[in-house]
Amino acid sequence: MTLSELNASDLYHACDLEQFSFETTEELESLTEIIGQRRAVEAVQFGIDINQEGYNVFVLGPSGAGKRTLVQQFLEQRAPKEPTPDDWCYVNNFDQPHKPIALRLPTGKGPQLRDDMEQLMEDVQSALSGAFESDEYRQRRQSLQERFTEQQQQAVEALQQKARERGLAFMQTPAGLAFAPLDPHGKPMSPEEVQKLSEERRQEFQAAAQEMEKEAQRIMEETPRAQRRARRELKELNHQVAEQAVKPLIDELHSHYEDHPRVLSYLEAVKGDLVDQAEELLKLQREEHEQKQPTGPAGAPIPKSVMEAALLRRYKVNVLVEHEPSEGAPVISEDHPTHQNVIGRIEHLAQMGTLIADFNLIMSGALHRANGGYLILDTYKLLSQPFVWEALKRALQSREIRIESPQEMVGLISTITLEPEPIPLDVKVVLLGPPLFFHLLNSLDPEFAELFKVPADFEIDMDRGEENTQLYTRLLGTLAQKYQLRPFHRAAVARVIEHSSRLAGDAQKLSIHMRSVADLMREADYWARQNGHEAVKVKDVQQTIDAQRYRASRQYERAQELIQRELILIDTEGATVGQINGLAVTPFGDLLFGQPHRITARVHMGKGEVIDIEREVALGGPLHSKGVLILAGFLAGRYARTQPLSLSASLVFEQSYGEVEGDSASAAELCVLLSAIAEVPLKQSLAITGSVNQHGQVQAIGGVNEKIEGFFDLCQGHHLNGEQGVLIPAANVQHLMLRQEVIDAVEAGKLHIYPLKTIDQAMEMLTGLPAGEPDEQGNYPAESLNGKISANLAELSRRRQQFLPGLGDREGD
């Protein structure tokens, strides 16, 4: 059968300039819609719109495909139209300071409460100072003190009167209270005078003294109780005065927060605590006025910041999250998703050698800032941080944000810390990541599917129709404006579109891998500036493409050099049995480079095994091994229907020192295997790529452009004699977007490209022999290629039976 080669017009799908009505992209209207991602956009929109638990979104696609830009753009367009969430504050819990209280306030009310409390403390200090320095307070306090003094004095006077009535004098000595007998003149007797009294008289005085001592003891015991009563009365007085000073100020604040019961409860607690702490506040105020350093119990100086933390800080308001009333729903993208940055944290202050924490040191996380809106996280960064994935899932499941220290979670610290009141959570989380992460999480984490029910699968290419081409030109114009680039001439736009198809690996597609397209445009703008062009021209775009390839081609050029110097053996002329030129690709970053490889096969008598040497030495990947196993199925299905397959064959990529993966070489391996069986030489001027199935059909592969160009570069280095060519799957013709020099070589007849549908077509091209068709009995013509293969296999089977008589019976047992 005759196989037609491809024309130069089949090798490149050029962009028609006539379809463009503009001269440069400056004339184009900016593109506001997102093109080529209808499926992903609808998925994101669904995930955002549905108000049900677990309907968070996982946007999956390759890196650089523009996932974050699309999601950010979509949400930023939507968020301003949505209601702005409330503010959140943490305030002191005066009953349990280690459990701060979370207050929810309408937008803008959080900072207002903070400012109101700061003003309140200024007013309270002034009011307390005025109240406790007033004449009324001083008079009432003096009255209490005088009453206490008068009561003490009256008790002493009553004791003295009773002593006189008993003939005793009451005296206060350094040793305590004492009683002495009185003489007739009412003066205390001296010890000598007492000794002169009769024994009976002395005993009477002694009994009276003992009785008076008991009375004095009773008065002495009553004194501390009286002092305590006086202190209580003074404290009640201070409490009344402080309450009278504070209450009007608190009542005034009540009018600002009448619709917020929890704030009113907090203000009542503030009032009670201010009244209790009034004396301490006055003391601090006096020390500041006197510029006196406060001291501790042992007389050690206490920094004023400690005093302030103990007093004034307890009345502050920690505004955790605040919003502008007109900003809409928040869209938060956390680029460093540590546990503290996502969940929040409690910081500590070092004071006098110890670490202290209070509600003022509670810091918000991304969940707090995104509450009521949207949170965007990168899956790779999220999973690389310890504890944060489990904490995020726990927050989404419980629908509340509970700030916990990771050290506490694993038991690394046991000190008393804060337990802030949890904050209710209402957020849509959008995770960005490659498809691998989505599938791994979905299969390994049973909670993942419950929390991220909406996958948004990202496209990397779009159809290259006329309508899409026009949209693509507007996209390029929009990107030029966004990155402040020079306008692109329409011929330059056409070249970018053509290269976009090359990036997509398909002449009927356009790449929407935004990083690659944007990089191409930015670099083209650089070369336009270097070349002194006011607008980017086609020359600048081509220079960019060439420069990108040149920067990445060091290893490729080194490999080509090794072939040219015959350090790596590959022939491009002549014919050899069991030897063929296969084609592979080597990636470098986002670029691919074609790499020719010599594949050889050896056949000998055996029991139907095809040994893949790459697999045997663990250099063959599973897809490559699958391709080799398919060869055995093809051989058995075509040639072993009436006789056993009595051969063993070995296949190898010669001078290959790395892993071989993929099945794109299976067509080459089958051809070289059939050559070895038929003992028919293969043309070394031809290279082949393609996968093959068990029916001998040649199937499409990837990287067809790079593979053709790789063999072209090799032949060009040896000598293009007009006989060299490449056999490719016919299904890959629609993907061709070859370099211009390859197209010129084909047009000049120096290189040939043939589309294949079956392995028989490939063998006819490689051997020059007809493949042959089976007759009604399944026999092939003797001089055909299939006839030679059948005959040689039959001979191998006959010889094996002769060599091992009775083997067939034993194998059937």
Side-chain angles (χ1 to χ4, degrees), residues 60 78 164 201 212 277 429 491 573 591 693:
L60 57 151
R78 179 187 180 90
R164 286 194 190 98
R201 188 65 175 161
M212 292 308 298
Q277 300 294 329
V429 178
E573 297 178 349
L591 298 179
N693 61 25

Side-chain angles (χ1 to χ4, degrees), residues 114-128:
R114 176 187 60 201
D115 297 341
D116 286 345
M117 287 301 298
E118 290 178 357
Q119 185 62 47
L120 173 68
M121 291 312 300
E122 293 180 9
D123 296 341
V124 162
Q125 288 180 302
S126 177
L128 288 176

Side-chain angles (χ1 to χ4, degrees), residues 139-153:
Q139 289 174 0
R140 295 177 65 181
R141 182 183 180 119
Q142 185 176 357
S143 175
L144 284 173
Q145 292 173 344
E146 289 176 350
R147 188 172 64 190
F148 172 74
T149 302
E150 183 180 352
Q151 290 173 351
Q152 292 297 104
Q153 187 175 357

Side-chain angles (χ1 to χ4, degrees), residues 725-770:
V726 182
L727 308 178
I728 66 170
N732 282 121
V733 173
Q734 58 188 318
H735 300 152
L736 293 178
M737 290 292 291
L738 293 169
R739 298 196 323 247
Q740 187 60 46
E741 56 184 326
V742 180
I743 299 173
D744 293 341
V746 171
E747 194 167 16
K750 295 181 178 180
L751 183 73
H752 309 277
I753 300 176
Y754 303 95
L756 301 174
K757 291 185 177 180
T758 66
I759 204 69
D760 286 336
Q761 292 177 332
M763 289 302 293
E764 288 183 351
M765 289 297 303
L766 288 164
T767 63
L769 296 177

Side-chain angles (χ1 to χ4, degrees), residues 388-434:
V388 66
W389 174 244
E390 290 299 324
L392 175 63
K393 291 193 298 180
R394 189 161 50 250
L396 293 176
Q397 288 168 337
S398 63
R399 297 181 66 83
E400 64 179 20
I401 311 171
R402 186 180 297 273
I403 300 178
E404 295 176 312
S405 168
Q407 292 83 357
E408 289 180 74
M409 294 165 57
V410 296
L412 293 179
I413 61 172
S414 58
T415 57
I416 297 176
T417 185
L418 300 183
E419 298 177 21
E421 182 181 4
I423 291 177
L425 178 64
D426 178 19
V427 68
K428 284 286 186 179
V429 178
V430 180
L431 291 184
L432 310 175

Side-chain angles (χ1 to χ4, degrees), residues 374-647:
Y374 310 98
L375 176 60
I376 304 172
L377 296 170
D378 182 272
T379 308
Y380 177 80
K381 295 178 181 178
L382 185 71
L383 295 177
S384 65
Q385 297 292 335
F387 308 116
V388 66
W389 174 244
E390 290 299 324
L392 175 63
K393 291 193 298 180
R394 189 161 50 250
L396 293 176
Q397 288 168 337
S398 63
R399 297 181 66 83
E400 64 179 20
I401 311 171
R402 186 180 297 273
I403 300 178
E404 295 176 312
S405 168
Q407 292 83 357
E408 289 180 74
M409 294 165 57
V410 296
L412 293 179
I413 61 172
S414 58
T415 57
I416 297 176
T417 185
L418 300 183
E419 298 177 21
E421 182 181 4
I423 291 177
L425 178 64
D426 178 19
V427 68
K428 284 286 186 179
V429 178
V430 180
L431 291 184
L432 310 175
L436 176 63
F437 280 20
F438 173 81
H439 296 300
L440 285 176
L441 287 170
N442 198 47
S443 60
L444 299 178
D445 189 340
E447 296 174 334
F448 174 77
E450 293 298 322
L451 295 174
F452 293 89
K453 297 178 181 290
V454 183
D457 201 354
F458 229 73
E459 301 282 359
I460 59 172
D461 55 40
M462 58 187 279
D463 290 336
R464 184 181 167 179
E466 183 177 349
E467 181 180 355
N468 282 347
T469 299
Q470 296 296 335
L471 287 173
Y472 205 82
T473 60
R474 290 175 58 194
L475 172 65
L476 298 181
T478 304
L479 290 176
Q481 293 179 6
K482 177 181 179 180
Y483 298 117
Q484 298 181 348
L485 308 178
R486 288 169 173 77
F488 277 60
H489 190 271
R490 64 175 185 164
V493 169
R495 185 66 186 94
V496 172
I497 289 175
E498 292 166 358
H499 188 65
S500 176
S501 291
R502 170 67 181 246
L503 292 176
D506 191 338
Q508 299 181 14
K509 298 285 185 179
L510 292 171
S511 172
I512 47 177
H513 189 264
M514 288 297 102
R515 183 182 66 196
S516 300
V517 176
D519 288 348
L520 178 68
M521 296 184 67
R522 282 189 284 252
E523 294 177 32
D525 176 76
Y526 166 81
W527 289 114
R529 178 164 57 85
Q530 295 295 104
N531 296 330
H533 298 158
E534 294 183 1
V536 179
K537 298 185 177 182
V538 66
K539 173 186 176 183
D540 304 317
V541 177
Q542 187 59 49
Q543 193 170 358
T544 299
I545 296 170
D546 295 340
Q548 288 180 341
R549 177 180 172 83
Y550 175 74
R551 289 196 300 269
S553 63
R554 185 190 65 83
Q555 294 181 2
Y556 172 73
E557 291 178 359
R558 177 63 174 160
Q560 290 285 339
E561 178 188 350
L562 294 176
I563 296 173
Q564 302 299 338
R565 295 171 58 188
E566 297 186 354
L567 297 174
I568 294 178
L569 301 178
I570 294 180
D571 295 333
T572 59
E573 297 178 349
T576 306
V577 174
Q579 177 176 299
I580 198 171
N581 292 326
L583 299 172
V585 289
T586 302
F588 188 93
D590 293 333
L591 298 179
L592 295 175
F593 293 94
Q595 187 66 48
H597 283 280
R598 172 179 285 182
I599 303 174
T600 60
R602 299 299 298 271
V603 175
H604 56 86
M605 187 185 302
K607 53 182 180 178
E609 295 177 326
V610 177
I611 299 173
D612 177 15
I613 294 179
E614 308 295 335
R615 181 180 61 181
E616 296 297 320
V617 297
L619 285 179
L623 295 181
H624 176 261
S625 299
K626 174 186 175 183
V628 174
L629 292 175
I630 287 175
L631 307 187
F634 173 81
L635 292 177
R638 175 173 286 192
Y639 304 111
R641 292 183 178 180
T642 58
Q643 61 184 12
L645 200 59
S646 302
L647 87 161

